[in-house]
Amino acid sequence: MNKPIMAKATAVWLVDNTTLSFKQIGDFCDLHELEVQGIADGDVAIGVKGFDPVANNQLTTDEIARCEKDPVAKLKLKHNPAAEGEQKRRGPRYTPLSKRQDRPASILWLVKFHPELTDAQISKLIGTTKPTIQSIRERTHWNIQNIQPIDPVALGLCKQTELDAVVQKAAAKKAADGEVMTDDERRKLVSTEQSLGMDADPKVPSSISGLETFSLSGNEDDGDDDPRNEETPDADSFFNLPDSDDEEDADR
């Protein structure tokens, strides 16, 4: 525990109740000197109630008096035995309640487009559990028929830089293990900045030269058999109507 709790409120109290310099208060509360000056001017932390560090066992009056006499001295946080061994607990990422129903869709997207990621990496990236990931991998999830893969970045479950970092890490591990990567996997490892700067691949040929000299049968066309060169037949030929002389002979 290197910094006081409620640092800004503590800075408000120190500004109002001591003659410590702005730098001394800023160093102790992990604030910029100008931010502490803003607190003194009333431009910063408006409405914040001061938090007494002496009453809350974070500073002593002797320590404050020592630093008031020496502007170069730095405040030392009072030792708290109860804080020993307290470190930041590592665990899955916290996901707000409003976005928790989106996690299966993002898991399906990661499993589909980044199969090199392990369950532990996916769990840490979007804050889910391994049984949930396993059920989606094996398609045994209770709602698997209605889940559509959606990018977790688009859902706000992680940042693009975090996704790129974990994919790069998985690729490095795969390369270290001697596994061969496919072209699709290499394409996915391109960073966001590089992919945005790439030229789009043409989906259809810009020109098809040479095909006009070949007929549908695959043989070279000399132009004589082109149906467009044939004369348009007379309309009467389609009905095979007899001439008027032929009709008179038939009546006789």
Side-chain angles (χ1 to χ4, degrees), residues 91-112 114 117-134 136-137 147-160 162-164 166-167:
R93 180 193 300 271
Y94 173 76
T95 305
L97 292 174
S98 59
K99 295 184 178 180
R100 291 185 183 180
Q101 68 273 13
D102 297 331
R103 284 187 296 191
S106 62
I107 294 172
L108 183 60
W109 189 91
L110 292 171
V111 168
K112 181 177 181 180
H114 292 288
L117 297 179
T118 63
D119 292 355
Q121 289 173 321
I122 296 176
S123 175
K124 185 177 180 181
L125 182 65
I126 61 176
T128 186
T129 60
K130 292 183 180 180
T132 303
I133 301 172
Q134 196 65 25
I136 292 178
R137 283 188 188 274
I147 300 176
Q148 297 296 328
I150 304 177
D151 190 344
V153 177
L155 293 174
L157 295 175
C158 67
K159 298 179 181 178
Q160 185 65 51
E162 295 172 339
L163 177 60
D164 292 342
V166 73
V167 170

Side-chain angles (χ1 to χ4, degrees), residues 134-152:
Q134 196 65 25
S135 64
I136 292 178
R137 283 188 188 274
E138 299 174 355
R139 301 192 67 83
T140 57
H141 191 273
W142 66 272
N143 197 30
I144 191 64
Q145 300 298 330
N146 299 321
I147 300 176
Q148 297 296 328
I150 304 177
D151 190 344

Side-chain angles (χ1 to χ4, degrees), residues 4-248:
I5 60 174
M6 301 181 64
K8 189 165 290 188
T10 300
V12 171
W13 188 92
L14 292 174
V15 168
D16 294 338
N17 296 277
T18 67
T19 59
L20 295 169
S21 66
F22 295 151
K23 182 171 177 55
Q24 287 175 314
I25 297 175
D27 291 342
F28 179 71
C29 298
D30 196 21
L31 299 174
H32 195 276
E33 182 179 354
L34 295 178
E35 189 173 1
V36 178
Q37 183 177 352
I39 294 175
D41 295 337
D43 299 329
V44 181
I46 300 174
V48 176
K49 185 178 180 181
F51 185 76
D52 187 353
V54 177
N56 290 278
N57 201 27
Q58 298 186 93
L59 273 178
T60 61
T61 54
D62 294 338
E63 180 67 14
I64 294 176
R66 181 183 69 85
C67 292
E68 285 178 333
K69 296 176 182 178
D70 185 5
V72 183
K74 292 185 178 182
L75 289 168
K76 293 183 180 180
L77 193 66
K78 186 177 179 180
H79 176 67
N80 185 3
E84 291 183 358
E86 285 291 326
Q87 297 177 352
K88 184 179 180 181
R89 293 181 175 87
R90 300 182 60 184
R93 180 193 300 271
Y94 173 76
T95 305
L97 292 174
S98 59
K99 295 184 178 180
R100 291 185 183 180
Q101 68 273 13
D102 297 331
R103 284 187 296 191
S106 62
I107 294 172
L108 183 60
W109 189 91
L110 292 171
V111 168
K112 181 177 181 180
F113 294 102
H114 292 288
E116 70 275 8
L117 297 179
T118 63
D119 292 355
Q121 289 173 321
I122 296 176
S123 175
K124 185 177 180 181
L125 182 65
I126 61 176
T128 186
T129 60
K130 292 183 180 180
T132 303
I133 301 172
Q134 196 65 25
S135 64
I136 292 178
R137 283 188 188 274
E138 299 174 355
R139 301 192 67 83
T140 57
H141 191 273
W142 66 272
N143 197 30
I144 191 64
Q145 300 298 330
N146 299 321
I147 300 176
Q148 297 296 328
I150 304 177
D151 190 344
V153 177
L155 293 174
L157 295 175
C158 67
K159 298 179 181 178
Q160 185 65 51
T161 54
E162 295 172 339
L163 177 60
D164 292 342
V166 73
V167 170
Q168 293 285 350
K169 185 176 180 180
K173 184 178 184 303
K174 190 171 184 180
D177 295 339
E179 300 182 24
V180 180
M181 298 179 60
T182 63
D183 292 339
D184 290 338
E185 291 175 341
R186 290 193 185 95
R187 198 175 299 114
K188 294 172 186 175
L189 295 178
V190 178
S191 65
T192 307
E193 293 77 7
Q194 292 174 338
S195 62
L196 292 176
M198 288 181 174
D199 296 333
D201 295 335
K203 301 301 181 182
V204 294
S206 58
S207 62
I208 306 178
S209 59
L211 295 182
E212 62 275 5
T213 60
F214 290 89
S215 62
L216 295 177
S217 60
N219 299 324
E220 189 172 352
D221 190 3
D222 56 2
D224 295 338
D225 298 333
D226 191 347
R228 292 175 294 182
N229 296 334
E230 297 180 359
E231 296 181 358
T232 303
D234 185 33
D236 294 339
S237 63
F238 287 103
F239 300 98
N240 296 322
L241 297 177
D243 296 336
S244 59
D245 295 340
D246 295 338
E247 292 178 354
E248 293 177 359

